[in-house]
Amino acid sequence: MTMQFNKKTVIGLIVALAVLGFVFYYLSDLVIYIIVAFVISMLGRPLVQWLNHRFRLPFALGSVIALAVILTFVVGVGWLVLPMFIQQGQSLVQMDYGQLTSDTYTGFHQFTAWLAEKGIRLSDADIEAYVVTGVQQLIQRISLKDLITNTAGFLTSFGVGLFCVVFIAFFFLKDEKLFKNMLFLFIPDRYTDRAENVLQSSEKLLTRYFVGLSVEVVCMMLFLSLGLWALGIDHAVLYGCIGGVLNIIPYLGPVIGAVLATVFAVINHLEVGFTMDLVWIIVKVVSVFVGANLIDNFVLQPLIYANSVKSHPLEIFFVIIIAGTLTGPGGMIMAIPLYTVLRVIAKEFFKGNKLVDGLTRRMV
């Protein structure tokens, strides 16, 4: 009887996953809006509950306040970053690329001469020709028209998506049982109790995870911005915010953030010409990112990834690497939340299995 129950359970789960996959494929935008709105509702629900408990505010009003707080933070960061980002774009458009090529040739010659003084000798002709050719190819690939078109399309899609997410998140905050009721429409009645346990455990773990992740992003923004500012890097807040947001992508995000910040810093410096100081600017930017991410890897991430979702750090590492290999950066972002939910489901439906018990023994 137990074997039959397990077989039916497995078949039911496979069918449910197939239906969810079908819905996600054909209604991917709507599914993403719902998922993002649910995440926002988990971030805002503690504030809504506190306002209701402390000041007896209705859930509708508390939901509006929670959304206003979240949006104020996002808009505030955008208010700081957007002007600097626009200035960087203007610098890129107004740059004299012909002079840049010439300065690159001269500057690299100075760099090889400096290395020669330190006892490091390179073949100037081949290396300089390679660098100049690379700069020329980069210039040829820059298309301002495509940049404007893509930016306009992104802003339009982002505006529509933001409205949908905020609208859905309000109702998820106002009625904390709404998401559960929507989900239970697809679950057979005989599994309702188990699904209730899965949802409660998942929501508890994911709330701690996303709150912790938000704290991590804010901390990384502060660490990077303050570090770059202390070393005299222009637009330190812009680069810090870029690095902090991209830190959401485990392992790969910090590398992308460091590369983008370095490129922007180089572009900003090239306004006044190509000099030997460029090397030290690159060293400063990279050093700050390396230092901040060492703090993140050894202090923040163990607290957030391991403690919030009750998994071993090495286990989390393997899950992220596998997800990144199979689905790319997007999979790396969703790896931990999805793995957490799957562990909760496995614990509820397959308790007693050696593998399942081993993976879920840290969960309470």
Side-chain angles (χ1 to χ4, degrees):
M1 184 69 180
T2 303
M3 181 64 67
Q4 184 180 7
F5 173 78
N6 288 337
K7 185 181 297 185
K8 289 183 178 180
T9 302
V10 172
I11 294 175
L13 288 175
I14 292 175
V15 173
L17 289 175
V19 173
L20 289 176
F22 178 83
V23 172
F24 187 84
Y25 181 80
Y26 287 99
L27 299 173
S28 58
D29 288 344
L30 179 59
V31 173
I32 291 174
Y33 295 156
I34 293 175
I35 293 174
V36 174
F38 181 64
V39 171
I40 292 176
S41 70
M42 286 192 291
L43 293 174
R45 183 164 296 127
L47 178 58
V48 174
Q49 293 175 342
W50 180 79
L51 290 173
N52 177 261
H53 177 74
R54 181 68 176 80
F55 300 102
R56 303 298 180 184
L57 292 183
F59 281 100
L61 181 57
S63 301
V64 172
I65 294 175
L67 286 175
V69 170
I70 295 173
L71 290 176
T72 299
F73 173 78
V74 174
V75 171
V77 173
W79 187 267
L80 289 174
V81 171
L82 188 59
M84 290 182 286
F85 190 81
I86 293 175
Q87 183 178 351
Q88 291 282 278
Q90 291 174 341
S91 299
L92 183 62
V93 172
Q94 296 172 359
M95 188 176 297
D96 185 346
Y97 291 103
Q99 185 63 38
L100 173 60
T101 302
S102 177
D103 290 342
T104 301
Y105 185 89
T106 303
F108 197 81
H109 179 74
Q110 295 173 352
F111 177 64
T112 54
W114 178 78
L115 289 178
E117 294 177 358
K118 304 298 181 182
I120 304 174
R121 299 187 179 277
L122 301 175
S123 176
D124 292 352
D126 294 338
I127 297 177
E128 290 174 1
Y130 176 79
V131 173
V132 172
T133 301
V135 172
Q136 291 174 339
Q137 291 177 350
L138 177 62
I139 293 170
Q140 293 173 356
R141 292 178 182 179
I142 295 176
S143 175
L144 181 60
K145 181 179 179 180
D146 292 341
L147 179 62
I148 294 174
T149 302
N150 293 335
T151 301
F154 169 77
L155 291 177
T156 301
S157 300
F158 179 80
V160 174
L162 180 62
F163 172 79
C164 294
V165 167
V166 171
F167 186 79
I168 298 171
F170 168 77
F171 289 100
F172 282 168
L173 284 169
K174 180 176 176 291
D175 183 3
E176 62 181 15
K177 295 182 179 181
L178 179 60
F179 182 80
K180 181 187 74 173
N181 294 336
M182 292 173 56
L183 189 62
F184 279 16
L185 293 176
F186 303 94
I187 298 176
D189 292 339
R190 63 180 179 275
Y191 297 136
T192 300
D193 293 338
R194 290 173 175 263
E196 178 79 28
N197 295 333
V198 168
L199 188 61
Q200 289 180 354
S201 300
S202 299
E203 188 171 354
K204 179 181 178 181
L205 292 172
L206 291 178
T207 298
R208 287 191 294 188
Y209 169 73
F210 284 115
V211 170
L213 184 63
S214 301
V215 172
E216 180 192 17
V217 169
V218 173
C219 288
M220 288 300 293
M221 287 182 177
L222 292 175
F223 293 157
L224 292 171
S225 299
L226 291 174
L228 294 170
W229 172 79
L231 294 180
I233 302 297
D234 295 333
H235 307 301
V237 176
L238 171 62
Y239 307 149
C241 290
I242 291 175
V245 171
L246 287 174
N247 206 67
I248 293 176
I249 306 175
Y251 306 116
L252 184 61
V255 177
I256 299 175
V259 171
L260 289 178
T262 302
V263 170
F264 285 148
V266 168
I267 292 174
N268 185 64
H269 181 74
L270 288 178
E271 294 178 354
V272 294
F274 193 104
T275 67
M276 283 296 298
D277 292 339
L278 180 64
V279 177
W280 300 116
I281 289 178
I282 295 174
V283 170
K284 290 177 181 178
V285 173
V286 173
S287 298
V288 170
F289 270 82
V290 170
N293 281 281
L294 286 175
I295 297 174
D296 181 41
N297 291 334
F298 290 102
V299 179
L300 298 179
Q301 288 189 11
L303 293 175
I304 295 170
Y305 294 163
N307 294 337
S308 62
V309 298
K310 304 299 181 181
S311 297
H312 192 279
L314 188 59
E315 181 183 348
I316 292 297
F317 175 79
F318 287 146
V319 169
I320 292 173
I321 295 301
I322 293 172
T325 302
L326 295 177
T327 59
M332 297 177 76
I333 296 174
M334 296 302 300
I336 298 176
L338 182 59
Y339 179 63
T340 300
V341 174
L342 291 177
R343 287 171 66 231
V344 174
I345 293 174
K347 182 180 181 180
E348 182 64 32
F349 286 91
F350 304 104
K351 187 175 182 179
N353 180 278
K354 184 177 180 180
L355 176 61
V356 172
D357 290 346
L359 293 176
T360 61
R361 66 180 181 276
R362 293 173 176 264
M363 300 174 64
V364 293

